[in-house]
Amino acid sequence: MPTHPATPFDGQPFDGLLIGASLATLDGGGYGEVPDGALAWKDGVLAYVGPRAGLPGAPDTLAHQVIETSGWVTPALVDAHTHLVFAGDRAREFEMRLQGKTYEEIARAGGGIVSTVRAVRDADEAALFAQSLPRAQALLRDGVTTMEIKSGYGLDFESERRMLRVARNIGQTLNVTVRTTYLAAHALPPEFKDNADGYIDEVVAWLPRLHAEGLVDAVDAFCEGIGFSPAQTRRVFEAARALDIPVKLHADQLSDLGGAGLSAEFDGLSADHVEHTNDAGVRSMAERGTVAVLLPGAFHVLRDTKLPPIEAFRAHGVPMAVATDCNPGTSPLLSLRQAMQLACTHFRLTPEEALRGATVNGARALGLHDRGILRVGMRADFVAWHVRHPSELCYWLGGDLINTVHANGHRLA
C-alpha cells in the first residue's frame, strides 16, 4: 500500500489535494484500498497517495486547492478500443436484425459497413467532428480521460485522413488523451470489389503519408474471413514495423485464423475480441506481453455465445483490458462502465478485474505506462465516485455515479 510521497515534502504547495474519500489505487493486489485517503498532485503528476493521517501537515497548508469529498477515488478510465468517429447511425439495421433479417439481406438493402462508409465519405470534417464529439463527451462523463479512436470507415486516403484529424481534434477540444489507430484494413471498399490484394497495396501506401502528418499512433486490421487474410494482415503489419509504429489486431472474433498469435508475433500491443483464440495464441500473447482487449458490447449486441478463453488468460497471466468498441453497427455503447458490467455478466470477470481492465490494462493496451494506477509519479488522472465500494462500478446498470473527473490534474467534469 502506498503511504508517503516519493520524496519528503519540500515546502512548495501542491497544486491540489483531495481528502476524505477511500482510494482504490490498484497498486499491488486487490483494489489497493486506502481508507480515509489523500491524493495530491503537482504539475499534472501525483505527488502523494496514501492515508490522510500520513500527510506532512494540515491540508490547508499543503495545497493551493483542497477538495474534501467522500465515496471512492479510482484511476480515471481508459477506453482502449473505439470506433467513435463516424457519421450517421445504423439503428434501423438493429431493428431489422430483430425482425429476422440476415446480414446479407441488410447489406443488399444498402446497410452494413458500406452505409457507414458512404456517410463518412459524404461528411466534411466539421460535420464529422460535430457528430462524433458528443460520443466522446459521453465517455468523458462516465470517467474516461484516455481513449483510442480508430479510422476505418473512410477506406480511401482522404476519408481516412479526415477521420484521424477529427480524432486528434476531439482530444484537443476535450483536453483528454486520444490515441489514434489507422484501420484502413477494416473492410473492402466497393471500388476494390474482388481485389483485396490491390486494396492492401493502397493501405500500405497511405500509411507513411499519414504517419508523416502525425496522425497515426498505432496500426490495426480486421483479420477475418469477411475481412482480410493473415497474409494480407501481415503485409500491413510489416509496413507498420518499417515505420516503427506499434500494432494491434481485431483477432479471432468470428473464427480462429491465428490472429492473436499474429499480433503477438509483431509484439502487438493487443489482440482484441479474441472469442475464438486458441491456446497457442494465448501462450504467444503471454510470451510477448500482448494484452487481450475484451469487447463485451459487441458480444452482447450480436448475441454471441462463444466466450473468450478467460480462464486461459488468467492461467497464463495475459492482461485483460475491457473497452466499449463504440461503433455504429455492433456496439453502440457510450459507457465504459457499462462495458465493465457486461464483462462481469457475460465473461464472469470479477469487478476488480473489470476495473483493472478499464484502467491499468487498458492503458497498457495503448502502450501507455504513466496512468491507470494511483501511485506517486503517475499522471494525475483520477475519478471521484459516489459509491460505497468499487464493486458498485460494475453493479449498477446505468445511473450517474460521477462526482468529479480529473485529467493531468485538471478537473474536466
Side-chain angles (χ1 to χ4, degrees):
M1 179 188 298
T3 57
H4 296 289
T7 56
F9 182 61
D10 63 4
Q12 297 301 313
F14 302 128
D15 294 335
L17 173 62
L18 182 148
I19 56 175
S22 295
L23 309 180
T25 68
L26 303 182
D27 196 1
Y31 288 107
E33 300 180 21
V34 180
D36 191 19
L39 195 73
W41 59 96
K42 188 174 181 63
D43 298 327
V45 174
L46 294 176
Y48 178 88
V49 179
R52 174 159 50 174
L55 287 169
D60 59 1
T61 68
L62 297 175
H64 294 296
Q65 178 189 27
V66 178
I67 302 169
E68 188 149 9
T69 187
S70 59
W72 281 78
V73 174
T74 73
L77 304 186
V78 177
D79 196 345
H81 183 128
T82 87
H83 304 252
L84 68 80
V85 170
F86 60 85
D89 65 69
R90 283 149 65 184
R92 176 58 181 150
E93 293 180 28
F94 175 71
E95 186 173 34
M96 292 170 70
R97 281 199 302 271
L98 294 175
Q99 293 170 343
K101 298 295 184 182
T102 66
Y103 183 88
E104 183 179 354
E105 290 171 327
I106 292 171
R108 281 205 305 268
I113 190 173
V114 173
S115 65
T116 300
V117 171
R118 185 165 53 246
V120 167
R121 289 181 175 183
D122 288 344
D124 63 20
E125 193 165 319
L128 192 57
F129 176 79
Q131 292 188 53
S132 302
L133 181 65
R135 292 186 279 269
Q137 289 172 319
L139 291 177
L140 171 59
R141 287 194 298 269
D142 202 48
V144 175
T145 63
T146 300
M147 62 189 74
E148 185 245 26
I149 302 178
K150 303 177 189 295
S151 68
Y153 290 127
L155 309 186
D156 63 36
F157 177 78
E158 288 301 333
S159 301
E160 291 288 299
R161 180 174 182 264
R162 187 160 61 250
M163 290 186 69
L164 294 167
R165 285 171 55 90
V166 167
R168 282 280 190 253
N169 194 5
I170 286 172
Q172 294 164 1
T173 299
L174 297 182
N175 291 317
V176 298
T177 300
V178 168
R179 302 294 285 179
T180 54
T181 298
Y182 176 63
L183 182 58
H186 191 198
L188 195 62
E191 58 269 26
F192 281 87
K193 183 181 180 181
D194 300 323
N195 186 17
D197 287 330
Y199 179 61
I200 292 298
D201 289 340
E202 295 299 306
V203 170
V204 168
W206 299 336
L207 177 56
R209 299 167 61 187
L210 295 170
H211 183 242
E213 294 184 28
L215 294 175
V216 179
D217 295 322
V219 171
D220 194 355
F222 185 41
C223 185
E224 282 288 353
I226 62 172
F228 296 94
S229 71
Q232 291 160 345
T233 300
R234 181 179 294 276
R235 290 182 56 202
V236 176
F237 281 8
E238 287 171 346
R241 175 182 279 174
L243 296 168
D244 199 27
I245 306 172
V247 302
K248 52 182 54 196
L249 187 63
H250 283 67
D252 309 332
Q253 179 186 12
L254 308 174
S255 61
D256 181 10
L257 295 183
L262 179 59
S263 182
E265 178 187 339
F266 282 82
D267 297 310
L269 293 173
S270 67
D272 303 25
H273 288 289
V274 295
E275 281 88 342
H276 291 261
T277 295
N278 59 37
D279 191 62
V282 173
R283 290 176 182 275
S284 294
M285 293 172 68
E287 290 170 2
R288 298 297 185 96
T290 298
V291 177
V293 178
L294 306 178
L295 304 173
F299 183 94
H300 178 79
V301 170
L302 294 174
R303 293 180 290 177
D304 204 347
T305 58
K306 176 65 173 176
L307 293 170
I310 302 298
E311 287 303 326
F313 290 144
R314 287 171 175 152
H316 292 287
V318 175
M320 292 182 288
V322 177
T324 62
D325 192 19
C326 173
N327 75 72
T330 61
S331 189
L333 181 56
L334 295 175
S335 166
L336 183 50
R337 192 168 58 79
Q338 183 68 71
M340 293 160 59
Q341 203 283 333
L342 291 173
C344 293
T345 301
H346 289 307
F347 299 160
R348 302 297 191 268
L349 262 63
T350 67
E352 180 203 326
E353 287 177 320
L355 180 57
R356 287 184 179 277
T359 52
V360 59
N361 289 342
R364 183 171 175 177
L366 298 180
L368 300 173
H369 301 280
D370 62 347
R371 66 199 71 195
I373 294 175
L374 300 181
R375 179 193 295 162
V376 169
M378 302 289 272
R379 272 177 60 101
D381 292 4
F382 59 90
V383 180
W385 305 90
H386 293 297
V387 297
R388 287 168 289 188
H389 190 268
S391 60
E392 289 188 52
L393 301 179
C394 296
Y395 167 72
W396 292 107
L397 290 164
D400 181 9
L401 303 184
I402 292 287
N403 185 347
T404 59
V405 180
H406 282 72
N408 203 33
H410 300 289
R411 182 173 175 176
L412 302 185

